[in-house]
Amino acid sequence: MSLGFLITSLEQGLIYGIMAIGVYITFRVLDFADLTVDGSITLGAAVSSKMIIMGYNPFLTLIFATIAGGISGSFTGFLNTKLKIAPLLSGILTMTSLFSINLRIMGRPNIPLLSDDTIFDIFNVPFSLSASSELILILIVVLLVLITLILFLKTKLGFALRATGDNPAMVRSMAINTKSIKMIGLIIANSFVALSGALICQYQGFADISMGIGTIIAGLASVIIGEVIFGSEKLYFVIPGIIGGSILYRGSISFALMSGFAASDLKLLTALIVIVFLSTPKIKSAVGGKFNVKAN
Amino acid sequence: MLKLINVSKTFNQNTVNETKALKGIDLKVQNNDFITIVGGNGAGKSTLLNSIAGVFGLSKGKIILSSNDITDMPEYKRAKFIGRVFQDPLMGTSPDMTIEENLSLALNKNSKLTLKWALNNKKRKIIKQNLSEIDLGLENRLDTKVKLLSGGQRQALTLLMATIIEPELLLLDEHTAALDPATAIKIKDLTQQIISNHNITTLMITHDMKDALKFGNRMLMMNHGDIIIDINGKTKEKMTIDHLLKIFQKKNKQGFYNDRSILSLA
Ligand SMILES: Nc1ncnc2c1ncn2[C@@H]1O[C@H](COP(=O)(O)OP(=O)(O)OP(=O)(O)O)[C@@H](O)[C@H]1O
Ligand SMILES: [Mg+2]
């Protein structure tokens, strides 16, 4: 196994980890099975890549991608809280709509960024360590995301978000509108997912209309691996643990590729991983069985 | 003061499952009233409390709290003035959050949801002090997740959460029914203590006739969606269970029920 392989897995794991944190917020904290993710990750990539080829600063495009993701989350929230459409279907409806919207934004199914500057071209650490500036930049972004989220979850609003996933009736009896809280949770989660999408397209050098397919399962796999391996009791451990889970997940995917699986087999492999994890009683109890609750 | 005017609630209207759970209830609750409510299964007691709390809309009628018409106010807004404790100890707390985190939500009940810290030293002090008043040693376990507490401890915590910001109205729905007898007595005493210390207007449902007579200054008996007995003051103090049963038999003309079983005395 080469060092390059490890660094690539690490970098991918970190970037996709931001998406996994979004999945964690909806599925675990809010107890809302949000499938918007497959669309909002591509939305982030679409906004970022389009703005880059239009000549905008690539860092600035990250902000707009994040905002766009938040808007897509609010649409799912609107469908669920105002139109009373079930959580799963609300997410699927947004995801489906986003496919057309993303195509509109991009203007074509694929935008290559090879001749344009991305954040990774602009950012250079002053001292020369080979290939390290990419990793450092990614680490900075991930750290910012982690710190923001952990601090947020300690505020009044953050407490309300955590309690809403746990016991919404109690939250209402504390004079809090659980619908607004759901909305806020969906906005935050999909902002993270879209930010992750924007970073991915800049990292890999292109945006593609179908890059989001299967994202939700990859996100769930990362969350579950993170929780099983890094424990799920204290927030400060769980949230970085999910990034860890994402890194391990990307590592195993790369490993599978090296051992001869075709790239097209990966979705099946990922689904199998999630199925195995969700059906193993021991692991189920470790993650609180929450993913299985919505089965009926 | 709480006023119910001709309050009716019909579930599944115009279907085969139609249930008239409340049939035109008129009720005036004075400030500082501590009212106990008894009645058989399905009498409409919980529906009455749920209507007041705004869990669902009314089929007919009006609810006035402190001269505000709250009939159409959503549940979470009414919660600003109403505290609730349910039968199920799991219903009142967030199991994955700690004792202090749960209580901080209760303390923030009337303030805006902002990005300020949910907990600070000042709040911790208030929380500790309130916990030491209920005397279960919980003040030393602020960091314990609520899911690790016993039913009685949770119910005590829920009671504290419902009253730490003094509500205008406290609704208790058989809140000791799921506890073992010794714990139930403790929680009842705690309830009495909190209510009289803060003069909180309270409606308390119970299946225990003795408790219904022992606690509070007024007692209601419900049957088939109506209030059939409403006694207070001296009349209530002098009332006995046997006498209550006689009144009940006289009022309940349908007669084919076993009255003792209806009142859960059998
Ligand atoms: N959400 C609901 N949907 C349909 N019917 C309901 C609902 N809630 C209560 N009912 C019906 O309304 C009637 C009154 O129920 P309620 O729960 O108020 O009785 P209760 O006096 O609290 O009884 P118990 O002592 O068993 O708790 C019952 O016939 C019940 O089946
Ligand atoms: Mg009841």
Side-chain angles (χ1 to χ4, degrees), chain B residues 51-110:
Chain B
S51 302
I52 296 169
V55 176
F56 36 63
L58 303 179
S59 306
K60 229 170 53 194
K62 258 190 194 168
I63 300 177
I64 316 281
L65 182 63
S66 313
S67 59
N68 294 318
D69 186 340
I70 60 166
T71 312
D72 297 317
M73 191 185 275
E75 182 186 1
Y76 78 91
K77 281 192 183 160
R78 295 187 206 195
K80 276 205 192 311
F81 342 104
I82 298 178
R84 296 196 80 180
V85 185
F86 301 92
Q87 176 173 351
D88 182 354
L90 301 180
M91 278 185 74
T93 46
S94 169
D96 263 329
M97 294 172 79
T98 64
I99 293 179
E100 64 174 6
E101 287 172 342
N102 269 280
L103 278 165
S104 84
L105 278 168
L107 267 183
N108 292 332
K109 193 168 176 178
N110 285 342

Side-chain angles (χ1 to χ4, degrees), chain B residues 9-12 17 19-22 38-50 56 87 173-174 205-207 222 225 264:
Chain B
K9 178 66 189 178
T10 305
F11 290 108
N12 307 314
N17 292 322
T19 312
K20 291 197 166 106
L22 295 177
V38 290
N41 292 118
K45 306 180 296 293
S46 298
T47 307
L48 181 70
L49 261 49
N50 285 334
F56 36 63
Q87 176 173 351
D173 192 344
E174 299 187 52
I205 298 177
T206 173
H207 263 132
M222 294 190 67
S264 307

Side-chain angles (χ1 to χ4, degrees), chain A residues 91-260:
Chain A
I92 292 174
L93 284 168
T94 309
M95 178 184 77
T96 309
S97 322
L98 279 174
F99 189 84
S100 307
I101 292 170
N102 292 337
L103 208 49
R104 280 275 175 199
I105 293 172
M106 293 166 66
R108 56 195 145 131
N110 188 294
I111 297 181
L113 297 172
L114 298 175
S115 53
D116 302 272
D117 275 350
T118 67
I119 55 171
F120 301 104
D121 299 312
I122 295 181
F123 180 86
N124 273 302
V125 275
F127 43 93
S128 66
L129 291 162
S130 63
S132 66
S133 64
E134 277 191 354
L135 184 57
I136 286 172
L137 179 53
I138 293 169
L139 275 173
I140 291 172
V141 177
V142 169
L143 264 176
L144 280 177
V145 167
L146 285 183
I147 292 169
T148 314
L149 182 61
I150 289 176
L151 291 182
F152 170 74
L153 288 176
K154 296 194 145 290
T155 65
K156 291 187 191 184
L157 194 57
F159 272 33
L161 188 76
R162 291 168 54 199
T164 298
D166 221 11
N167 186 349
M170 181 278 273
V171 175
R172 278 193 292 278
S173 79
M174 290 303 142
I176 296 168
N177 186 354
T178 47
K179 290 182 182 174
S180 323
I181 302 295
K182 264 192 203 172
M183 190 70 136
I184 291 167
L186 285 164
I187 290 173
I188 295 174
N190 283 291
S191 303
F192 283 157
V193 175
L195 171 62
S196 170
L199 290 168
I200 291 162
C201 81
Q202 297 197 32
Y203 179 79
Q204 67 191 13
F206 64 90
D208 190 273
I209 189 67
S210 60
M211 64 188 270
I213 297 172
T215 301
I216 186 68
I217 296 299
L220 280 177
S222 308
V223 172
I224 294 168
I225 296 172
E227 286 188 335
V228 169
I229 293 182
F230 301 97
S232 61
E233 280 304 310
K234 284 248 185 274
L235 279 179
Y236 333 98
F237 292 114
V238 184
I239 294 173
I242 288 164
I243 301 280
S246 173
I247 294 168
L248 286 177
Y249 169 74
R250 291 294 150 187
S252 22
I253 290 293
S254 311
F255 186 73
L257 280 176
M258 287 200 320
S259 17

Side-chain angles (χ1 to χ4, degrees), chain B residues 163-188:
Chain B
T163 52
I164 196 164
I165 299 277
E166 213 169 287
E168 286 182 37
L169 186 64
L170 179 62
L171 305 177
L172 308 172
D173 192 344
E174 299 187 52
H175 69 302
T176 60
L179 308 176
D180 67 74
T183 314
I185 289 175
K186 249 193 220 155
I187 298 294
K188 282 177 208 165

